[in-house]
Amino acid sequence: MTVKEYLRQAYRLDQKINSDLEEMASLREMAASVSSPQFTERVQTSRNTDAPFVRCIEKIMDLEHRINQEVDLLVDLKDEIRAVITTVEDTDERMVLKYRYVHNYTWEQIGNELHADSRTVRRWHGKALTHVILPENPITI
């Protein structure tokens, strides 16, 4: 695993959590909605006695559990990334890495924060990646 791949993991995990949160919001909406009555004749050999929203609630609970695990992993990963970034000696390079991989800033936002143009920020980023030392057993997703 390269340094860049390692540092990018936090962004990907954050995106996954956001996607799961959107799915959970959709499930909550479905669970809260009123289902329409069915007037057609249905023949069933085994009757399901659960209310229609029960399946949605079970999925919500499973999803909440998975999201909580992912958030815990994200917190651990960001702590480890912060520790890795602090080993970079140059302040500008360290700040570029922190803004990019901990705060998920764009190149333009980093340039505005550090009062530098995007080319300078990218140059600092390239140098910083060569100075990063990965931990022995890094967290991988």
Side-chain angles (χ1 to χ4, degrees):
M1 172 181 295
T2 65
V3 172
K4 203 172 196 179
E5 290 171 341
Y6 169 74
L7 294 173
R8 255 191 217 157
Q9 290 182 111
Y11 176 75
R12 295 288 177 221
L13 185 57
D14 193 36
Q15 293 296 70
K16 187 175 184 320
I17 291 169
N18 288 336
S19 173
D20 288 344
L21 289 172
E22 287 177 18
E23 182 182 348
M24 189 167 58
S26 174
L27 286 172
R28 285 183 193 268
E29 188 176 315
M30 284 178 19
S33 66
V34 178
S35 61
S36 63
Q38 295 188 3
F39 297 113
T40 60
E41 188 175 327
R42 289 183 6 182
V43 178
Q44 281 186 315
T45 56
S46 63
R47 184 172 178 189
N48 187 2
T49 57
D50 290 338
F53 60 88
V54 172
R55 284 194 327 258
C56 287
I57 291 175
E58 289 171 350
K59 287 181 182 179
I60 289 170
M61 290 170 51
D62 291 341
L63 193 55
E64 282 177 340
H65 180 69
R66 189 171 68 204
I67 290 171
N68 286 336
Q69 289 177 334
E70 289 171 349
V71 168
D72 291 343
L73 181 61
L74 180 64
V75 169
D76 293 341
L77 180 62
K78 282 200 174 188
D79 284 344
E80 188 175 87
I81 288 173
R82 279 188 198 95
V84 166
I85 289 173
T86 58
T87 63
V88 176
E89 291 182 19
D90 187 84
T91 305
D92 293 328
E93 294 173 6
R94 190 172 50 243
M95 292 307 296
V96 168
L97 291 176
K98 186 177 254 183
Y99 282 131
R100 184 70 177 172
Y101 298 109
V102 176
H103 301 294
N104 298 325
Y105 280 16
T106 63
W107 297 117
E108 291 77 24
Q109 289 172 322
I110 297 170
N112 289 338
E113 289 293 322
L114 299 178
H115 305 291
D117 64 354
S118 63
R119 288 179 60 195
T120 303
V121 169
R122 288 173 196 239
R123 184 172 36 85
W124 287 340
H125 178 259
K127 283 183 182 179
L129 289 179
T130 61
H131 297 135
V132 170
I133 301 168
L134 290 178
E136 283 186 33
N137 296 317
I139 296 173
T140 56
I141 299 172

